[in-house]
């Protein structure tokens, strides 16, 4: 061991020890003019001896002729190529290097413009390592939408994906681009391949992380801020939902096109935008406009990109000119056209109406913003399905959220000259990007929760950039009167910034790696959500559906009953809109009662469940019909008279409910009241002419009444739309035989 504390033995261990010893002994950092940071080292001996020792270390200067000659004498000629390669890697990737003239080490962390490949290789490697568990995950929950879609599985389905919106079961939006990517997966990797689908998601996320670095440098942020933001974006655990969940490729793919549209737009540059010719300038926007359209066709929540373009112009140049408004006009038109087509074509506005007031929506949006920002800073207790918030509970918290968001915007606006425009732009970018999912307008997922991690996949870039700027500013030796949120020049990389970068990458990477295991399969998916919060009504509901599909009706009923209890608690608190309660209640009562009645043969318990349902949902014709089914003799407790009473209530509530008319006809037929049975069956068939169940029963009633010709007509009607119905064919032949026999008897009597 030398007097300076470095071991004489060379190699990786020696290099690590040298770096650690150097970092521990450094107490000041000043610029040395070579692009690095000079770190003063306290020597344990005379300067002459220190210089001699330093020349024997691994971090010596590559142009030291004496050392090179000594190495050439010691090294056989056959290993010269290997030594050259090692030296090249050491010069490119080594964090510290000794400067003999100052007896100091200076930082050589590759964060400058000349080491792009190295930086992105590091970023891609650690991101792939963090998301490695996703490659062994199965498809979960909503992944069945593209797994079961014939348009995705068939070779010619690509045409239907683009030209027949609304034909994919379970998809409420016109987002053909994401289903085109799944169609390509099936063509390239052979059917439903979870490994390939998850690998593609991870690859897109890695590309997006690299584009974060490029985009932030394009708008004027320093290399350190951009790279730190890219690292956080790549490894943040909140993004696991968008990357590890296959169906959420819509988030990663839309972000890919979003970044492409930003980078291809001439306005997004620190240089002044000077359109010399309006037509040429608009033609120059075509690539960016096309990428924006593809992003909208992947997920329409990126509709705010035109407003973000103007926001970035204001950030970079402090003002927005008329030509820039004109230049962004095609983006506003394209975004509005695609969004309106999505809403109108898919009928979203008619399907979603949860009845929240404008003031309630402001409260929901403000709390959601606070929730998302807190998850950016402290990403713990993440969940796939967060519980619905109680609007009637803790009103102080709701109003505090409104006050915090409003005060933050006002403060950042007033302090924009002292602190720079960066913090305000970061918060506005976040609000604009996540805005469509804040509850100001109704969307389908509000049925389950007001927030989801995937909604801030792109939006959290704003807060991340602000936090990264603060970190870099804190690591830099300056008097620091102005925060470094605006354009900066090529900067130095302090030692403490490198340490923080490594620690942050390790912490975020491990958290992300662990979070990926929650998406292993459906049971771990919902089980993890329930462990995070036992009051998650929707997680209990979906776990019950999973148990029901897997042949575990007992466990499924327990889950449904737990969800029903949570739902009724919310109703008792007056904290859920009636339309939302009805939608959730019908699903829960239906699933629970059907399992009790059909799978477990416990009709008495089913009567109790549906009896509770009609008390809580007195205007639901579905619940009254199911209560009647539980009483019926067919598959209930055997009280058809009580069953018909409930069927009458159901049909009075909804005369167009064909199922209730059909079941009422069957109950009347079992009671022997054939006239009422015929009326009920005809009412059902008027509403649904292809109801085979009711038409077959009507034919049976006609046979009992002796009207064989009418029965034959009903069987012929069935065979008209079900030509392969064997039962209808056999019964029609029997009726025809009975008619022929009757006619023969009539002819014999006439002859006599």
């Amino acid at each position: 061991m030398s007097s300076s504390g470095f071991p004489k033995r060379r190699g990786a261990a020696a290099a690590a020890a040298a770096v650690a010893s150097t970092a521990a002994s450094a107490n000041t950092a000043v610029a040395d003019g070579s692009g690095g940071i000079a770190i003063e080292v306290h020597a344990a001996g005379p300067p002459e001896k220190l210089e001699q020792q330093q020349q024997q270390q691994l971090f010596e200067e590559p142009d030291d002729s004496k050392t090179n000659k000594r190495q050439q004498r010691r090294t056989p000629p056959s290993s010269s190529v290997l030594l050259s390669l090692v030296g090249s890697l050491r010069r490119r990737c080594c964090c510290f290097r000794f400067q003999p003239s100052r007896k100091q080490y200076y930082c050589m962390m590759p964060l400058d413009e000349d080491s792009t490949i190295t930086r992105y290789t590091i970023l891609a490697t650690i991101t792939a390592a963090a998301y490695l568990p996703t490659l062994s995950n199965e498809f979960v929950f909503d992944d069945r939408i593209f797994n079961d879609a014939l348009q995705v599985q068939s070779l010619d389905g690509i045409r239907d994906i683009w030209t027949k919106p609304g034909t994919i079961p379970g998809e409420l939006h016109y987002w053909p681009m994401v289903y085109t990517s799944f169609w390509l997966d099936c063509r390239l990797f052979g059917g439903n391949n979870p490994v390939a689908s998850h690998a593609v998601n991870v690859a897109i996320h890695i590309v997006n992380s690299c584009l974060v670095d490029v985009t932030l440098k394009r708008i004027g942020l320093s290399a350190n801020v951009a790279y730190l933001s890219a690292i956080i974006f790549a490894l943040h655990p909140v993004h696991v939902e968008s990357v590890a969940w296959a169906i959420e490729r819509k988030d990663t793919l839309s972000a890919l096109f979003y970044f492409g549209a930003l980078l291809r737009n001439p306005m997004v540059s620190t240089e002044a935008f000077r359109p010399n010719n309006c037509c040429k300038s608009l033609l120059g926007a075509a690539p960016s406009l096309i990428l924006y359209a593809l992003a909208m066709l992947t997920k329409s929540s990126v509709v705010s990109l035109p407003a973000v373009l103007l926001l970035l112009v204001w950030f970079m140049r402090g003002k927005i000119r008329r030509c820039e408004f004109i230049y962004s006009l095609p983006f506003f038109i394209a975004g509005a056209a695609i969004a309106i087509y999505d809403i109108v074509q898919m009928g979203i506005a008619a399907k979603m109406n949860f009845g929240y007031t404008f003031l309630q929506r402001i409260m929901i949006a403000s709390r959601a913003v606070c929730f998302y920002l807190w998850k950016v800073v402290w990403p713990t207790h993440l969940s796939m399905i967060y519980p619905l918030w109680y609007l009637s509970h803790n009103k102080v918290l709701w109003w505090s959220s409104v006050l915090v968001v409003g005060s933050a915007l006002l403060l950042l606006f007033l302090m924009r000259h002292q602190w720079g425009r960066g913090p305000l732009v970061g918060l506005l970018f976040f609000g604009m990007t996540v805005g469509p999912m804040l509850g100001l307008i109704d969307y389908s997922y509000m049925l389950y929760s007001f927030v989801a991690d995937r909604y801030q996949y792109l939006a959290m870039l704003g807060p991340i950039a602000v936090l990264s700027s603060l970190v870099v500013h804190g690591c830099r030796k300056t008097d620091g009167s102005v925060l470094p949120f605006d354009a900066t020049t090529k900067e130095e990389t302090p030692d403490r910034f490198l340490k923080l970068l490594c620690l942050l990458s390790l912490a975020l990477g491990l958290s992300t790696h662990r979070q990926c295991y929650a998406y292993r399969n459906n049971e771990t998916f919902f089980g993890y959500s329930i462990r995070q919060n036992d009051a998650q009504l929707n997680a209990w509901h979906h776990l019950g559906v999973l148990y029901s599909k897997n042949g575990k009706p007992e466990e499924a009923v327990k889950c449904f009953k737990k969800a029903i209890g949570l739902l009724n608690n919310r109703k008792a608190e007056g904290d859920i809109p009636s339309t939302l309660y009805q939608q959730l209640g019908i699903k829960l009562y239906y699933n629970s009662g059907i399992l009790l009645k059909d799978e477990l043969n416990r009709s008495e318990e089913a009567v109790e469940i549906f009896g509770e349902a009609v008390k809580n949902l007195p205007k639901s014709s579905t619940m009254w019909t199911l209560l009647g089914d539980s009483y019926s003799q067919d598959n209930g407790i055997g009280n058809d008279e009580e069953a018909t009473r409930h069927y009458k209530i159901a049909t009075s509530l909804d005369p167009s409910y064909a199922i209730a008319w059909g079941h009422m006809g069957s109950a009347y037929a079992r009671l022997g009241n054939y006239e009422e049975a015929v009326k009920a069956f005809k009412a059902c068939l008027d509403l649904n002419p292809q109801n085979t169940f009711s038409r077959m029963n009507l034919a049976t009633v006609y046979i009992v009444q002796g009207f064989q010709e009418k029965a034959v007509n009903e069987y012929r009607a069935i065979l008209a739309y079900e030509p392969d119905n064997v039962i209808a064919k056999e019964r029609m032949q029997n009726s025809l035989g009975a008619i022929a026999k009757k006619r023969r008897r009539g002819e014999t009597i006439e002859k006599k």
Side-chain angles (χ1 to χ4, degrees), residues 162-223:
W162 286 89
T163 61
K164 296 181 180 180
T167 57
I168 298 178
E171 180 54 68
L172 300 178
H173 294 274
Y174 179 64
W175 292 340
M177 196 62 211
V178 66
Y179 288 100
T180 299
S181 71
F182 292 131
W183 181 86
L184 288 173
D185 285 352
C186 291
R187 307 287 80 75
L188 295 175
F189 307 113
N192 296 326
N193 189 335
V195 177
S197 295
H198 289 121
V200 171
N201 278 17
V202 174
I204 296 174
H205 180 60
I206 290 174
V207 175
N208 288 342
S209 302
C210 296
L211 292 178
V212 166
D213 179 74
V214 177
T215 303
L216 293 182
K217 287 190 294 186
R218 175 72 65 86
I219 66 174
L221 297 185
S222 66

Side-chain angles (χ1 to χ4, degrees), residues 289-306:
L289 187 60
I290 292 172
L291 289 169
Y292 173 53
L294 292 177
M296 284 289 295
L297 293 172
T298 306
K299 189 174 184 179
S300 54
S301 61
V302 298
V303 66
S304 61
L305 183 137

